[in-house]
Amino acid sequence: MKKVILDVDTGIDDALAISYAIHSPALEVCGITTTFGNITVEEATRNTLQMLELLGAADIPVYQGAVRPIVRELTGKARLFHGENGLGNVVLPPPVTAAQPESATQFLISTIKANPGQITLITVGSMTNLARAIMAAPEIVTLIEQVVAMGGAVTVPGNRTPVAEANICADPEAAAFVMQSGIPLTLVGLDVTMQTLLTREHLREWRARDTPVSRVFADMCELYMDAYATVGNVRGCGLHDPLAVGVVIDPTFVKAVPMHVEVDTSGGASDARTIGDRRARPAQAANVQVCLKVDHERFVQHFLRHVMGN
């Protein structure tokens, strides 16, 4: 089993990714760290604890992370897509468990150092926790197995601005720092995630399954799909964060291309754009594996088989 840490800003697709990872026989979830993005970090921590309890996985430790970006002010929540509480306005019981006293940054550093070459970090929110961990302990760059990050829009339009994707927008400077750090990084961006589709027919199947988990997920995703419909995606919603988990489970779900990628942090209309250069130039060697193609049907079927467990 591959040892993974999930770094989340638990909204709807984060919740799906958490369930997918927990139920995958290929992964051992060593812990979950939280950050801001879809919602505040405090809300993300609460939602993560609630999801773990719903899934019967409350023994997985949760570590609260960054409150704000490393340079900028905190931006607003993604209420349209994730609801006021981040979980599609589905009301779950207050968590009976609590986050660990150790911070997300401390946990990342200590776990990577204790398991050299064995930890894969899956980030599906801002990259702030990882950036802070590298700043505090640069040696983890060579000790981690890999980072798989849901973020960016290298060859397609953005979803936060015409050119920029939401997770990169959440903390552009953190993303830029991580990409320049030398850490082994695979970017699972809108280039591929928008090709993965969860449909209303899938939600009907979940409702027919009629379990506590399937009912909650169907209710959450109903709001998510309604939000997608308002921007023209009437067939369903993209499985953004679950695809990042899927790439760790089975890298053949995607085709990745080495590129030199930078994040535009200059401000203005192009702020937080992920700029990829495929030309082979020594001065700008490839620093990121960018996913450009996805076997979407095979991935979606695998996701559906595992996301609810047995």
Side-chain angles (χ1 to χ4, degrees):
M1 296 175 72
K2 187 177 290 291
K3 296 179 182 292
V4 300
I5 297 171
L6 303 179
D7 189 75
V8 299
D9 57 335
T10 301
I12 294 167
D13 58 333
D14 304 73
L16 296 175
I18 290 169
S19 187
Y20 184 30
I22 288 171
H23 290 128
S24 170
L27 303 182
E28 176 190 348
V29 180
C30 300
I32 301 179
T33 54
T34 62
T35 186
F36 60 88
N38 294 321
I39 47 180
T40 66
V41 70
E42 293 85 3
E43 291 169 316
T45 301
R46 177 203 65 206
N47 290 356
T48 303
L49 293 168
Q50 288 174 313
M51 290 310 312
L52 290 175
E53 291 175 12
L54 174 69
L55 296 167
D59 57 325
I60 296 175
V62 176
Y63 302 84
Q64 186 161 298
V67 174
R68 60 181 298 277
I70 57 177
V71 174
R72 306 186 184 212
E73 295 301 318
L74 187 64
T75 57
K77 299 191 294 184
R79 293 183 178 87
L80 172 63
F81 282 86
H82 296 275
E84 287 297 323
N85 69 350
L87 295 178
N89 298 328
V90 173
V91 178
L92 295 175
V96 297
T97 50
Q100 301 297 307
E102 190 178 9
S103 73
T105 296
Q106 292 169 330
F107 172 69
L108 288 174
I109 294 170
S110 62
T111 306
I112 292 167
K113 285 186 173 182
N115 300 273
Q118 298 181 57
I119 297 296
T120 292
L121 174 64
I122 306 171
T123 70
V124 295
S126 74
M127 294 192 197
T128 313
N129 288 332
L130 176 56
R132 290 192 179 280
I134 297 170
M135 290 174 186
E139 62 272 23
I140 68 172
V141 165
T142 60
L143 295 176
I144 196 168
E145 182 175 4
Q146 65 170 332
V147 176
V148 176
M150 191 281 126
V154 177
T155 64
V156 298
N159 60 357
R160 179 63 65 84
T161 78
V163 295
E165 181 274 332
N167 286 341
I168 304 298
C169 281
D171 194 344
E173 282 76 18
F177 178 82
V178 169
M179 290 183 192
Q180 295 165 7
S181 70
I183 205 162
L185 175 63
T186 297
L187 202 61
V188 183
L190 300 182
D191 311 84
V192 284
T193 65
M194 288 301 293
Q195 299 176 50
T196 64
L197 195 67
L198 186 70
T199 69
R200 294 189 189 273
E201 176 59 32
H202 295 140
L203 301 195
R204 285 191 286 271
E205 292 171 2
W206 288 355
R207 293 193 192 285
R209 187 169 181 149
D210 198 29
T211 68
V213 174
S214 69
R215 290 193 297 270
V216 166
F217 280 12
D219 288 345
M220 286 194 306
C221 291
E222 196 79 51
L223 180 142
Y224 202 42
M225 289 185 187
D226 288 345
Y228 266 85
T230 67
V231 294
N233 296 308
V234 296
R235 295 180 55 222
C237 61
L239 290 167
H240 304 289
D241 296 350
L243 183 57
V245 173
V247 168
V248 178
I249 294 170
D250 184 350
T252 69
F253 284 144
V254 296
K255 178 175 175 56
V257 174
M259 290 190 194
H260 181 86
V261 181
E262 297 180 355
V263 179
D264 182 357
T265 60
S266 63
S270 63
D271 193 23
R273 180 181 183 183
T274 42
I275 304 168
D277 185 350
R278 297 175 68 169
R279 294 172 293 179
R281 294 185 295 174
Q284 290 190 319
N287 59 340
V288 177
Q289 295 287 325
V290 179
C291 297
L292 295 182
K293 294 182 180 180
V294 57
D295 188 343
H296 55 89
E297 291 185 6
R298 188 163 63 90
F299 160 70
V300 171
Q301 290 306 310
H302 188 273
F303 166 80
L304 292 170
R305 281 199 304 273
H306 291 281
V307 66
M308 300 292 173
N310 296 325

